């Protein structure tokens, strides 16, 4: 068995590090068949991980094969298996455990390796208790325990509290449904949500979170509430499932070590021998030298040094069983060790916790009925919904509530913004205890008498990071211990450590941080390193596929149906599943397949389903000049995708992607992408949460190419009546069932998203533009902050290069070029007055004031934009020239003092927020404030006339989710509205739509590269997906030239200010570039 390659089960419900065996490392036999010297192994750290690794190598791997030495900085081994003797007032000396306290037994339990190890060591155990209590605000808000009805209703008024019963109901629901997360496909993006997002997505109440789950998690992992909310939901649910904490019955009998954990640590130390266990010896530095031990099979060996640079020995293999940041510090002294390794180790986060062993009952629940083995003591103010979930879900755009109004802490643009870092949420992060400490939301007190069956007349408690210190007269001991923090940074780092560095050059890394952070995780990790190094299985794992017993995969266990009640519940559940899910999916899948067969006839669309099948649609040929020839592959993770798409069409597909039901897969051949859509050498934006964002662009281009099929587009038709003609992708005629959902969405759009002057427009603008200034700064250009199309330096792409235009220059340069273009079209003169309607973050207003000395007035409905724009004006010293205010354009136009006041009116991509029914009001308002020879310059996103009637009779992803109530008018609708409601006449047009595609692509790249900042603001996976869907959706429209971005110039007839636009330079084009000039231009791009 020792010579066989390692074989381990990969369990989808766990995130343990899999130790990679080094090849050809079997013991001490030389190539000529003779025995060589033993392999010298240093184990750094004498906790459970180091003890388990050293024990296996020393005991089970053959006499003389390994010379193992264990180094422990403390005076005794054990680490968190820390036993200490206390003296209470009323009792004789009592031994207690401070760290490791409980486990359970049996190879099918949650501690299979630890319990088997204890059995082989002859360690005895006794029954323990793992009851839980939660007490908030000194028991005034809620106080309950899991110890029977008397404990559940320890605070008697809870028996009459609907909120408390809601918590209990949701506890049952969570226990029943949360395990479904573990059953998702390993690549499913929904597996990667945080705990906070999981609670939001599944509609759990504040009571459930604050009265149960969050305090329990904070106690389990000694974590702050901010870290608890960021904790991976998969890690949490996997732990609860595998520890049988998601079931009401058949819970394990918990055990505690008889005589405390010192009985097993001392036994292991004795087996290793005093000459191999070196306590009070910390490793301070190390050096790498060429190997002199041929039998070790490695190229290097390592010299270890203790305090005062004392050499402690030379070793072939080093097992770092200490905390990863400690290992990083040691390795940083060793020349030749990759800096990336030490950085990875440093990213596995630990946090110190102050621990009191005491007898002060004031750190326990107020009511004795609520006392339990572990007691979560907290403050409800830090467990409120405002921390868990945004209270602005009715204000923010759909999918944007998680980070709505948040700032990073580097800036505070408005008084209403919630500061995420550097403010109240994370104040005094380094402080361990007290009301303002790291765990100010909740701390935990363990009742050792109950946990460890203490023979003591006095109560003995262990409290971690208490909000107040116990009575000094009742304190037996105070110490500091560090615990792993399972942040996203930690998860990423330990995955990188597993894949890139484990066992490389004789360096191994193990610890409880590789699992859930508990004792079984620590000993399993040590055993995994030792078995991988030796290729010798554990004695109790000989019948196992691997060499170490894996954790049980209880998520796959069938539901219990032994009793009549159980069988009845299972049948009822199966019937409900059939009616509410299976049948709708089966019916809607047939509808969708039928629809796609008629709608996608060109190109290739592939659907990869959960049963392993792939369904294809289309002829496999290139769909149009703006698409590539490769298939677009959708990986469907949740078949409810078919129901959403069938019932809601465009919106259903968008919401399905937002929910993580599907992603678009990345092309294996990166050269197969259109170089404009994905430039060569650009950053890969694909990940598990988003799939391939560029794949979304390709998907939309495929749909557009089929909707605008040349065979169909060549048929003469009337644009005004085109909505009455049948085209599957134009008006959903091929998916009639979607008419129901589309009608409901349209009614909601018309009723709830009206752009009326009295509040409607304000609400709609607030939902998008007030998301967070810091969010927009994460992807807009850094100089102008323009949230509109830029104008790049571009030429028509030559044949064979790409479709459309080829671009060069930065986004910043392109935005400055656009601002100059707008001001040029407006024929701005020094000293004129200018009105900027919808000024955004002030880029256009500031530029006009700086360049021309204009007196600028700007109006907006976004309070967040006003705050940042005002800040920028002050920074530029332009307060005397630029004035901003929050005001509706109609209200502003009614002020008598504004009649004919402005020489120029500019509106940059604001007209989309007006709405079709209010276009006339916009032109009326502009004419009220425009001087006689004034000019209106408008940048507008427009819909082609051929689709406009269909568009305005329906809803889509943009006007319902991204910009509530918006409408991208057709050019005809704009001209007609001006004709019907003013004397303004269209005088000039520029189309910069292709430039908008490039602008959107650059915004997407910047947004995704700043994901860490976006998440720091509180935005979750849903928002990451909705924002990518939005940017790629729009990019495809402009890239295919089926959406336009027009610069329009309006004036009254006979306007002398427009004479310069009639000059030859304005009405003629530059000479086109020659082929050679184009080639030279492209080489500079």
């Amino acid at each position: 068995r020792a010579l066989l390659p390692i074989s381990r089960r990969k369990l989808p419900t766990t995130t343990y590090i899999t130790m990679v065996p080094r090849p050809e490392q079997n013991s001490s036999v030389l190539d000529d068949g003779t025995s060589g010297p033993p392999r010298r192994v240093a184990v750094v750290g004498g906790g459970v991980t180091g003890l388990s690794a050293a024990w296996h190598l020393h005991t089970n791997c053959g006499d003389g094969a390994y010379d193992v030495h264990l180094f422990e900085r403390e005076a005794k081994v054990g680490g968190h298996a820390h036993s200490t003797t206390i003296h209470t007032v009323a009792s004789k000396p009592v031994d207690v455990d401070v760290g490791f306290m409980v486990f359970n037994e049996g190879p099918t339990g949650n501690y299979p390796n630890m319990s088997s190890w204890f059995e082989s060591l002859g360690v005895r155990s006794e029954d323990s208790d793992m009851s839980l209590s939660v007490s908030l605000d000194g028991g005034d808000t809620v106080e309950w325990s899991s110890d029977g009805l008397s404990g559940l209703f320890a605070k008697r008024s809870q028996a009459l509290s609907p909120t408390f019963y809601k918590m209990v109901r949701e506890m049952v629901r969570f226990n029943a449904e949360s395990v479904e997360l573990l059953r998702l496909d390993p690549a499913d993006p929904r597996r990667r949500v945080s705990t906070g997002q999981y609670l939001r997505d599944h509609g759990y109440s504040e009571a459930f979170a604050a009265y149960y789950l969050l305090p329990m998690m904070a106690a389990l992992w000694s974590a702050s509430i901010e870290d608890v909310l960021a904790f991976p939901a998969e890690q949490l649910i996997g732990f609860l499932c595998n520890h049988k904490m998601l079931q009401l019955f058949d819970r394990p009998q918990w055990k505690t070590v008889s005589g405390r954990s010192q009985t097993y640590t001392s036994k292991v130390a004795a087996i290793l021998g005093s000459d191999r266990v070196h306590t009070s010896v910390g490793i301070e530095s190390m050096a790498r030298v060429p190997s002199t031990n041929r039998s070790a099979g490695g190229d290097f060996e390592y010299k270890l040094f203790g305090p005062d640079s004392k050499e402690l020995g030379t070793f072939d293999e080093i097992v770092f069983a200490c905390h990863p940041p400690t290992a990083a510090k040691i390795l940083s002294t060793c020349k030749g060790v990759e800096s990336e390794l030490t950085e990875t180790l440093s990213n596995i986060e630990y946090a110190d916790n102050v621990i009191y062993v005491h007898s002060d009952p004031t750190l326990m629940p107020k009511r004795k009925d609520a006392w339990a083995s572990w007691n979560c003591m907290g403050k409800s103010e830090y467990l409120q919904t405002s921390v868990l979930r945004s209270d602005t879900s009715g204000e923010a755009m759909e999918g944007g509530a998680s980070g709505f109004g948040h700032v990073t802490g580097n800036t505070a643009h408005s008084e209403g913004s919630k500061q995420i870092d550097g403010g109240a949420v994370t104040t005094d992060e380094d402080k361990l205890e007290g009301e303002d400490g790291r765990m100010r939301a909740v701390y935990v007190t363990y009742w050792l008498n109950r946990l460890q069956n203490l023979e003591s007349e006095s109560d003995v408690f262990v409290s971690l990071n208490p909000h107040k210190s116990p009575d000094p007269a009742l304190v037996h001991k105070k110490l500091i211990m560090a615990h792993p923090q399972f942040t996203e940074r930690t998860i990423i780092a330990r995955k990188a450590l597993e894949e890139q560095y484990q066992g490389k050059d004789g360096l191994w890394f193990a610890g409880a941080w590789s699992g859930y952070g508990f004792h079984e995780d620590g000993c399993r990790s040590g055993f995994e390193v030792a078995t991988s190094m030796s290729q010798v299985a554990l004695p109790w794992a000989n019948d196992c596929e691997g060499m170490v017993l894996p954790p049980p995969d209880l998520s796959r266990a069938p539901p219990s149906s032994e009793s009549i009640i159980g069988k009845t519940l299972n049948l009822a559940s199966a019937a409900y599943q059939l009616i509410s899910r299976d049948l709708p999916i089966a019916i809607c899948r047939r509808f969708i397949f039928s629809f796609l067969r008629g709608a996608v006839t060109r190109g290739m669309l592939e659907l990869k389903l959960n049963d392993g099948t792939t369904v294809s649609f289309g002829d496999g040929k290139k769909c149009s000049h703006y698409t590539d020839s490769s298939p677009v592959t959708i990986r469907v993770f949740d078949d409810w995708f078919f129901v959403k798409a069938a019932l809601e069409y465009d919106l259903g597909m968008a919401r399905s992607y937002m929910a993580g039901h599907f992603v678009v897969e990345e092309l294996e051949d990166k050269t197969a992408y259109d170089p404009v859509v994905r430039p060569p050498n650009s950053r890969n934006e694909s990940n598990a949460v988003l799939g391939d964002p560029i794949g979304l662009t390709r998907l939309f281009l495929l749909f557009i190419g089929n909707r605008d099929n040349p065979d169909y587009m060549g048929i003469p038709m009337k644009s005004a009546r085109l909505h009455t003609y049948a085209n599957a992708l134009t008006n959903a005629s091929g998916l009639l069932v979607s008419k129901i959902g589309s009608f409901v969405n349209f009614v909601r759009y018309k009723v709830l998203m009206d752009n009326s002057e009295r509040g409607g427009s304000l609400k709609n603008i607030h939902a998008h533009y007030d998301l967070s200034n810091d969010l927009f700064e994460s992807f807009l250009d850094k100089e102008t902050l323009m949230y509109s199309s830029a104008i790049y330096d571009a030429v028509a792409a030559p044949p064979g290069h790409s479709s459309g235009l080829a671009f060069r220059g930065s986004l910043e340069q392109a935005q400055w070029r656009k601002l100059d273009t707008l001001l040029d079209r407006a024929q701005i003169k020094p000293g004129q007055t200018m009105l900027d309607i919808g000024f955004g973050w002030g880029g256009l207003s500031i530029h006009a004031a700086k360049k021309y000395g204009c007196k600028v007035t700007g109006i907006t409905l976004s309070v967040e934009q006003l705050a940042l724009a005002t800040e920028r004006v002050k920074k530029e010293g332009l307060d005397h020239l630029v004035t901003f205010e929050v005001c509706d354009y109609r209200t502003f136009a009614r002020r008598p003092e504004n009649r004919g006041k402005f020489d120029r009116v500019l509106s940059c991509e604001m007209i989309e927020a007006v709405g079709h029914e209010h276009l006339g009001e916009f032109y009326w308002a502009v004419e009220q404030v425009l001087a006689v020879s004034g000019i209106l310059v408008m940048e507008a996103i427009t819909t082609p006339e051929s689709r406009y009637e269909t568009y305005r009779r329906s809803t889509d992803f943009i006007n319902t989710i991204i910009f509530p109530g918006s409408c991208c008018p057709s050019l005809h609708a704009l001209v007609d509205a001006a004709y019907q409601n003013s004397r303004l006449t269209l005088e000039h047009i520029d189309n910069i739509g292709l430039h908008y595609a490039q602008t959107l692509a650059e915004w997407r790249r910047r947004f995704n590269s700043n994901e860490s900042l976006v998440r720091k603001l509180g935005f979750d996976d849903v928002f990451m997906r909705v924002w990518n869907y939005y940017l790629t959706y729009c990019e495809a429209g402009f890239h295919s030239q089926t959406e336009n971005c027009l610069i329009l110039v309006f004036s009254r007839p006979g306007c002398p200010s427009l004479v310069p636009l009639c000059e030859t330079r304005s009405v003629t084009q530059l000479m086109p570039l020659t082929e050679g000039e184009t080639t030279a231009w492209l080489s500079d791009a």
Side-chain angles (χ1 to χ4, degrees):
R1 175 66 180 270
L3 299 178
L4 296 177
I6 199 166
S7 173
R8 301 187 70 253
R9 282 187 285 213
K10 202 71 172 177
L11 297 175
T13 61
T14 60
T15 53
Y16 292 93
I17 286 187
T18 302
M19 304 305 175
V20 181
R22 291 173 62 193
E24 300 179 5
Q25 286 189 336
N26 186 37
S27 75
S28 55
V29 179
L30 300 179
D31 294 339
D32 59 8
T34 61
S35 296
R39 286 160 63 184
R40 298 157 296 180
V41 179
V43 178
V44 181
V48 62
T49 302
L51 290 172
S52 60
W55 175 84
H56 180 65
L57 292 173
H58 177 78
T59 306
N60 302 317
C61 299
D63 293 337
Y66 292 92
D67 181 15
V68 184
H69 288 260
L70 184 145
F71 298 91
E72 169 56 47
R73 185 180 300 273
E74 301 299 326
K76 61 180 182 179
V77 296
H80 281 213
H82 185 91
S83 302
T84 188
T85 302
I86 64 171
H87 297 79
T88 63
V89 175
S91 304
K92 61 182 180 181
V94 178
D95 291 333
V96 299
D97 273 336
V98 176
F100 168 58
M101 298 186 189
V102 294
F103 69 103
N104 54 56
E105 295 180 336
T108 59
N110 316 117
Y111 288 68
N113 293 287
M114 171 146 285
S115 60
S116 298
W117 190 27
F118 283 178
E119 183 179 356
S120 70
L121 293 172
V123 174
R124 294 182 299 107
S125 65
E126 54 195 66
D127 290 351
S128 182
D129 172 85
M130 275 288 281
S131 53
L132 166 74
S133 80
V134 175
S135 177
L136 300 183
D137 305 319
D140 295 337
T141 299
V142 70
E143 192 163 83
W144 66 275
S145 84
S146 61
D147 192 12
L149 289 177
S150 62
L152 187 64
F153 299 105
K155 182 183 179 184
R156 301 303 182 224
S157 61
Q158 289 166 180
L160 302 176
S161 169
T163 301
F164 187 76
Y165 284 111
K166 186 174 186 178
M167 180 271 289
V168 175
R169 287 196 307 272
E170 292 191 354
M171 186 187 302
V172 175
R173 175 164 76 92
F174 179 81
N175 291 350
E177 75 178 14
S178 61
V179 72
E180 294 298 326
L181 182 76
L182 307 179
R183 294 172 179 156
L184 297 176
D185 186 280
D188 195 314
R190 292 170 295 172
R191 289 186 72 115
R192 288 158 180 80
V193 298
S194 67
T195 297
Q197 183 179 342
Y198 182 87
L199 294 176
R200 284 194 299 271
D201 291 350
H202 290 79
Y204 285 99
S205 66
E206 174 187 326
F208 170 75
Y211 296 174
Y212 169 60
L213 189 67
L214 299 186
M216 179 184 68
M217 288 182 64
L220 274 170
W221 281 282
S222 304
S224 68
I225 204 65
E226 291 74 36
D227 286 342
V228 162
L229 290 169
F231 196 89
E234 179 183 5
Q235 184 98 352
L236 164 70
I237 295 169
F239 170 82
L240 296 177
C241 179
N242 284 336
H243 283 68
K244 297 188 178 181
M245 297 173 73
L246 294 178
Q247 54 204 78
L248 296 177
F249 307 104
D250 193 29
R251 289 197 170 191
Q253 173 61 59
W254 290 91
K255 299 284 186 177
T256 189
V257 176
S258 299
R260 312 287 71 85
S261 59
Q262 62 191 358
T263 60
Y264 96 81
T265 59
S266 59
K267 282 190 176 186
V268 176
I271 291 171
L272 295 176
S274 59
D275 58 333
R276 288 183 171 82
V277 177
H278 311 278
T279 55
S280 300
V281 178
I283 305 300
E284 303 294 336
S285 61
M286 60 186 291
R288 190 171 77 174
V289 296
S291 177
T292 59
N293 186 356
R294 286 197 299 148
S295 66
D299 297 326
F300 304 105
E301 58 188 22
Y302 299 91
K303 295 182 181 294
L304 298 184
F305 302 91
D308 301 322
S309 300
K310 179 181 178 182
E311 185 172 342
L312 302 174
T314 303
F315 301 92
D316 303 305
E317 314 266 358
I318 310 292
V319 178
F320 287 97
C322 52
H323 296 167
T326 302
K329 184 176 179 181
I330 296 170
L331 285 166
S332 67
T333 67
C334 184
K335 291 183 179 180
V337 172
E338 299 175 44
S339 59
E340 291 81 2
L341 170 58
T342 57
E343 181 180 355
T344 299
L345 288 164
S346 298
N347 286 339
I348 298 176
E349 300 178 31
Y350 269 70
D352 286 339
N353 296 282
V354 62
I355 299 174
Y356 287 95
V357 184
H358 65 95
S359 295
D360 187 348
T362 62
L363 272 64
M364 287 286 284
K366 178 194 298 185
R367 300 165 181 87
K368 195 69 178 279
D369 281 348
W371 282 26
S373 293
W374 45 305
N375 306 269
C376 305
M377 315 292 294
K379 296 181 179 180
S380 60
E381 64 178 301
Y382 299 123
L383 295 166
Q384 298 299 313
T385 306
S386 58
V387 175
L388 168 66
R389 160 180 28 192
S390 173
D391 57 2
T392 54
S393 57
E395 301 176 51
M397 54 164 273
E398 187 175 336
S402 57
F404 188 81
H406 293 178
V407 298
T408 61
N410 299 322
T411 55
H413 303 306
S414 75
E415 294 180 1
S417 297
K418 178 182 173 186
Q419 196 161 315
I420 295 301
D421 188 20
V425 173
T426 54
T427 298
D428 228 357
E429 189 74 338
D430 294 331
K431 190 173 180 181
L432 300 183
E433 58 180 312
E435 294 188 352
D436 294 324
R438 184 173 63 85
M439 292 184 64
R440 63 186 177 167
V442 63
Y443 69 93
V444 61
T445 295
Y446 298 99
W447 187 14
L448 298 193
N449 301 67
R450 190 165 182 172
L451 271 167
Q452 299 173 13
N453 306 316
L454 300 185
E455 295 180 1
S456 171
E457 296 179 7
S458 301
D459 288 318
V460 182
F461 311 111
V462 167
S463 295
L464 276 70
N465 306 318
H467 294 166
K468 67 170 186 174
S469 299
D471 184 343
L474 299 175
V475 173
H476 307 298
K477 181 165 284 192
K478 179 181 179 181
L479 60 157
I480 303 283
M481 285 186 174
H483 296 83
Q485 303 297 297
F486 294 98
T487 62
E488 182 183 11
R489 185 182 181 196
T490 293
I491 301 301
I492 293 172
R494 70 181 196 177
K495 185 174 186 293
L497 191 65
E498 169 197 356
E499 295 177 349
Q500 301 174 35
Y501 302 108
Q502 190 62 268
K504 183 179 179 181
D505 295 330
L507 301 177
W508 302 83
F509 307 93
W513 49 267
S514 67
Y516 296 116
F518 293 89
H519 229 57
E520 169 71 11
D521 306 309
C523 80
R524 179 190 291 113
S525 180
F527 287 141
E528 286 178 332
V529 161
T531 55
S532 296
M533 186 187 300
S534 65
Q535 293 292 283
V536 176
L538 293 173
W540 52 84
N542 283 321
D543 296 327
C544 176
E545 290 182 17
M547 293 194 251
V548 177
L549 292 179
D553 182 10
L554 300 180
S555 71
R556 303 289 176 177
S560 175
S561 58
E562 296 298 322
S563 66
I564 295 177
I565 295 178
K567 291 180 180 179
T568 302
L569 290 175
N570 290 339
L571 287 173
S573 177
Y576 179 79
Q577 169 85 2
L578 176 66
I579 296 170
S580 66
R581 181 175 173 84
D582 295 345
L583 281 177
I585 287 174
I587 294 170
C588 290
R589 178 158 43 194
R590 292 178 64 89
F591 275 118
I592 292 295
F593 284 176
S594 175
F595 166 73
L596 290 176
R597 277 191 288 270
V600 181
T601 59
R602 299 159 61 86
M604 178 67 73
L605 175 65
E606 296 179 340
L607 299 184
K608 284 187 177 180
L609 308 179
N610 280 327
D611 60 7
T613 61
T614 299
V615 185
S616 300
F617 306 91
D619 60 8
K621 300 176 182 179
K622 186 168 180 172
C623 181
S624 68
H625 67 279
Y626 46 74
T627 62
D628 55 58
S629 57
S630 301
V632 177
T633 304
I634 291 178
R635 172 64 173 95
V636 179
F637 294 109
D638 191 332
D639 289 343
W640 198 251
F641 156 78
F642 295 108
V643 179
K644 295 292 290 182
L647 295 182
E648 295 186 79
Y649 197 55
D650 177 31
L651 275 172
M653 186 167 180
R655 286 171 172 148
S656 188
Y657 178 75
M658 290 164 59
H661 294 167
F662 75 91
V663 298
V664 180
E665 292 187 346
E666 185 180 13
L667 292 179
E668 291 185 10
D669 181 6
K670 305 305 181 287
T671 63
Y673 287 97
D674 183 319
V676 172
V677 174
R678 178 172 175 166
N681 303 317
S682 61
R683 174 181 173 271
N684 185 2
E685 301 171 58
S686 300
N687 59 43
V689 171
L690 304 175
D692 180 18
I694 298 172
L696 287 171
T697 306
R698 297 177 60 244
L699 174 65
F700 299 135
L701 289 173
L702 177 69
F703 286 155
I704 292 170
N706 280 275
R707 180 195 67 193
D708 300 339
N709 189 317
D711 297 335
Y712 166 78
M713 296 297 288
I715 302 173
M717 294 181 180
K718 297 178 181 179
S719 290
R721 299 291 299 165
L722 204 59
H723 65 282
T724 64
Y725 300 131
N727 179 295
L729 282 168
T730 298
N731 55 18
S733 61
L735 192 57
L736 295 178
V737 68
S738 71
K739 293 290 187 180
I740 301 171
S742 297
F743 175 75
V744 172
N745 283 323
F746 183 69
V747 171
R748 178 174 174 269
Y749 166 76
K750 299 296 287 185
V751 173
L752 300 180
M753 301 179 188
D754 176 52
N755 286 297
S756 63
E757 183 177 357
R758 300 184 181 279
S761 289
L762 179 64
K763 180 183 68 173
N764 291 336
I765 293 297
H766 179 59
H768 182 95
Y769 293 95
D770 289 345
L771 277 169
S772 167
N773 283 334
D774 285 349
L775 167 69
F776 289 102
E777 286 183 292
S778 73
F779 67 90
L780 298 179
D781 74 285
K782 302 303 180 186
E783 297 172 4
T784 72
L785 288 183
M786 291 301 295
Y787 192 27
S788 56
S789 178
I791 300 178
Y792 283 84
D793 187 7
V795 298
H801 177 73
S802 62
S803 61
L805 295 177
F807 302 92
R808 70 179 181 184
S810 68
L811 176 62
E812 283 72 18
Q813 293 170 331
Q815 289 291 14
W816 284 119
R817 184 179 294 109
K818 197 278 291 290
L819 292 183
D820 283 333
T821 300
L822 292 178
L823 296 178
D824 177 72
R825 297 294 182 268
Q827 292 299 301
I828 290 280
K829 305 298 180 186
Q832 288 185 329
T833 55
M834 178 183 126
L835 174 64
D836 189 353
I837 302 179
F839 58 77
W841 289 275
L844 179 60
S845 297
I846 292 171
H847 189 50
K850 286 184 70 175
K851 187 172 183 177
Y852 295 100
C854 294
K855 185 74 173 179
V856 182
T857 298
I859 58 175
T860 184
L861 292 179
S862 168
V863 293
E864 291 292 319
Q865 288 185 334
L866 173 68
L868 180 53
T870 302
E871 184 181 306
R872 297 181 70 208
V873 167
K874 290 181 180 179
K875 186 177 180 180
E876 294 287 347
L878 297 172
D879 308 60
H880 62 296
L881 291 178
V882 181
T883 303
F884 293 141
E885 66 172 303
V886 172
C887 184
D888 187 278
Y889 62 92
R890 292 158 288 201
T891 304
F892 186 84
R894 289 192 180 91
R895 295 175 182 172
E897 64 271 21
N898 291 331
R899 179 69 58 86
K901 178 179 179 180
F902 297 97
D903 300 304
R904 303 291 183 265
V905 175
L906 281 86
S907 177
C908 187
E909 291 188 27
M910 175 270 177
I911 195 67
E912 302 81 15
V914 168
H916 177 82
E917 292 79 5
H918 303 283
L919 290 175
E921 297 173 14
F922 176 81
Y923 284 102
W924 170 86
V926 170
E927 190 172 25
Q928 300 304 305
V929 301
L930 194 63
V932 174
S933 297
I935 297 173
L936 164 66
V937 174
M938 175 196 304
E939 183 176 328
I941 299 173
T942 62
T943 301
E945 274 69 14
S946 61
R947 293 203 328 273
Y948 188 61
E949 290 304 315
T950 298
Y951 167 71
R952 76 181 191 88
R953 285 172 165 81
S954 60
T955 56
D956 68 2
F957 169 68
I958 297 296
N959 64 22
T960 303
I961 293 178
I962 299 299
F963 297 99
S966 66
C967 173
C968 297
S970 67
L971 179 59
H972 172 267
L974 290 171
V975 173
D976 188 61
Y979 162 69
Q980 296 287 348
N981 296 275
S982 74
R983 288 175 293 169
L984 298 176
T985 303
L986 178 63
E987 300 283 355
H988 188 90
I989 302 177
D990 297 290
N991 190 339
I992 59 173
L994 284 172
H995 294 263
Y996 215 154
Q998 181 72 0
T999 303
L1000 286 155
E1002 180 60 20
W1003 285 347
R1004 187 201 68 240
R1005 286 189 282 266
R1006 293 186 180 204
F1007 174 78
N1008 288 333
S1009 68
N1010 285 317
E1011 178 182 353
S1012 60
L1013 171 62
V1014 175
R1015 291 191 179 278
K1016 189 176 182 181
L1017 289 167
F1019 292 104
D1020 56 18
D1021 289 356
V1022 173
F1023 183 79
M1024 294 299 299
R1025 285 192 286 266
V1026 73
W1027 209 252
N1028 272 271
Y1029 200 92
Y1030 149 51
L1031 295 174
T1032 56
Y1033 186 95
C1034 296
E1035 179 191 353
F1038 290 112
H1039 183 70
S1040 61
Q1041 297 176 267
T1042 54
E1043 283 291 307
N1044 296 315
C1045 185
L1046 306 180
I1047 297 176
L1048 306 173
V1049 179
F1050 289 87
S1051 73
R1052 297 182 181 93
C1055 177
S1057 302
L1058 288 177
V1059 170
L1061 292 185
C1062 298
E1063 294 178 0
T1064 302
R1065 66 179 181 87
S1066 297
V1067 297
T1068 59
Q1069 294 182 336
L1070 297 174
M1071 292 294 292
L1073 298 181
T1074 65
E1075 184 177 342
E1077 289 172 332
T1078 300
T1079 301
W1081 189 96
L1082 290 172
S1083 66
D1084 294 335

